[in-house]
Amino acid sequence: MVQQRTNPLRKYIRNRKLPHFFCPGCGCGQILNYFLKAVDDLQLDFKKIITIGGVGCTARIPIYLNTDSLHGVHGRTLAWATGIKLYRPDLKVVIFAGDGDLVSIGGNHFLHASRRNLDVTVILVNNFNFAMTGGQVAPTTPFNSVTMTTPYGSKENTIDVCKLAVSAGATYVSRWSTAKPIQTVKSIKKALQHKGFSLVEILSQCPTNFGRYALRTGDPEKVLEWIKNRSISKTKAEKLNEHELKDKFILGEFIDKKRPVFQGTTLFKEEDN
Ligand SMILES: Cc1ncc(C[n+]2csc(CCOP(=O)(O)OP(=O)(O)O)c2C)c(N)n1
Ligand SMILES: [Mg+2]
């Protein structure tokens, strides 16, 4: 008799029939898996985690999770997270944000949540474009890339989200890619245990839109290869000059420090804290 094996992480997935939201080869499935592996390794109480998604491919990750979750307006994940965290500081809030969601429409919330050291974890899926809406240019799109809205190549400078987070005041910040599962899981574990604003940026392949327009390939492996070829560790990057680092993605941890977390100024009386 053939023995049926169940994936040990299956217990964290909502027990209903859900459609498959992601395109073949999309990195979102891997990232969902990395997050669950981190939760399982840490044996976190899943009922004490709230997951939030805005709108976008990435924002659909929480739909699969058997946590209380919120799926709402594009770019406003950190506004909800602030409200939840101030009312229920005992809950762990995890945000799955697309690059457009976090630093384009949601850029202002991102600066202020970092500045306040809001005690939440942000898992940023950087697929270099607005994927769900068809592949428009995003603040993370590499310079000169062809996208659906930049047929002659994007002429806008790219935001380094990790640098932005560190300078705004976030207290745990790292960047990895879907090609680095061990480091990514380790980093998500650190972020989940961190008290304060933690950001794990994960560079991820979007074959359907970024691949097709910018790299002229819809092959997930080739898009992943492109990410891998451009990636360099922080230790190696420290020995290179600005010119040599052009077009490179620096992977590693950029900050891990302690600082008082935001608890609001008027919502709670001193004795409630
Ligand atoms: C207020 C608002 N503006 C714009 C949109 C349209 N919209 C939906 S998803 C999206 C971009 C998603 O890109 P990103 O956040 O990078 O997520 P991805 O799909 O790439 O994972 C946009 C512009 C919207 N739903 N709501
Ligand atoms: Mg995106």
Side-chain angles (χ1 to χ4, degrees):
M1 209 173 81
V2 184
Q3 246 199 331
Q4 286 271 325
R5 287 225 198 136
T6 322
N7 185 320
L9 302 177
R10 180 71 185 80
K11 59 178 183 275
Y12 298 113
I13 301 287
R14 251 180 240 281
N15 204 8
R16 353 186 156 129
K17 277 204 174 126
L18 287 165
H20 198 292
F21 298 126
F22 308 129
C23 300
C26 167
C28 283
Q30 278 166 279
I31 292 163
L32 168 72
N33 209 8
Y34 300 163
F35 169 70
L36 292 180
K37 173 88 175 80
V39 167
D40 199 58
D41 282 359
L42 294 174
Q43 286 293 298
L44 295 180
D45 181 354
F46 218 47
K47 289 288 156 210
K48 288 225 147 181
I49 301 178
I50 296 206
T51 52
I52 306 181
V55 176
C57 303
T58 305
R60 290 177 163 187
I61 294 176
I63 295 176
Y64 289 107
L65 301 172
N66 201 12
T67 55
D68 280 327
S69 51
L70 239 145
H71 182 85
V73 191
H74 187 47
R76 299 294 176 258
T77 52
L78 283 166
W80 299 325
T82 307
I84 294 168
K85 203 60 207 181
L86 290 186
Y87 192 64
R88 289 288 305 270
D90 58 310
L91 298 178
K92 200 170 271 303
V93 178
V94 182
I95 293 142
F96 289 89
D99 43 336
D101 196 273
L102 196 70
V103 291
S104 186
I105 189 170
N108 222 2
H109 295 285
F110 180 65
L111 289 183
H112 298 292
S114 301
R115 174 174 74 86
R116 291 170 178 150
N117 200 25
L118 184 71
D119 183 23
V120 298
T121 295
V122 177
I123 297 181
L124 162 65
V125 179
N126 181 359
N127 56 14
F128 315 102
N129 76 141
F130 287 5
M132 202 187 79
T133 37
Q136 294 88 351
V137 69
T140 48
T141 306
F143 191 78
N144 255 341
S145 301
V146 170
T147 69
M148 188 234 240
T149 44
T150 55
Y152 303 109
S154 163
K155 304 298 175 212
E156 296 173 14
N157 269 350
T158 308
I159 286 182
D160 181 326
V161 187
C162 290
K163 267 192 188 164
L164 188 66
V166 171
S167 55
T171 45
Y172 179 79
V173 175
S174 70
R175 179 186 294 119
W176 298 104
S177 77
T178 47
K180 298 269 180 204
I182 293 168
Q183 292 89 335
T184 308
V185 171
K186 204 170 145 196
S187 199
I188 296 176
K189 278 160 74 173
K190 270 188 147 177
L192 290 172
Q193 290 174 296
H194 182 80
K195 188 98 182 122
F197 193 88
S198 54
L199 167 76
V200 181
E201 175 181 353
I202 308 172
L203 307 176
S204 176
Q205 69 279 14
C206 167
T208 304
N209 285 314
F210 184 74
R212 218 159 32 103
Y213 284 110
L215 310 177
R216 303 198 176 278
T217 175
D219 181 342
E221 247 183 86
K222 291 202 175 122
V223 184
L224 204 52
E225 210 53 54
W226 175 85
I227 295 176
K228 280 167 81 173
N229 290 340
R230 284 188 158 216
S231 298
I232 178 169
S233 74
K234 193 178 145 231
T235 340
K236 280 193 186 148
E238 276 158 3
K239 298 186 188 96
L240 302 182
N241 63 35
E242 206 179 317
H243 178 72
E244 290 165 319
L245 284 174
K246 196 172 156 282
D247 300 332
K248 291 272 187 286
F249 302 129
I250 304 175
L251 305 187
E253 272 181 7
F254 302 97
I255 200 163
D256 184 2
K257 70 169 191 187
K258 285 198 173 78
R259 191 161 72 75
V261 300
F262 183 63
Q263 293 181 319
T265 46
T266 53
L267 281 176
F268 295 105
K269 285 191 242 92
E270 196 70 9
E271 58 269 28
D272 293 336
N273 278 310

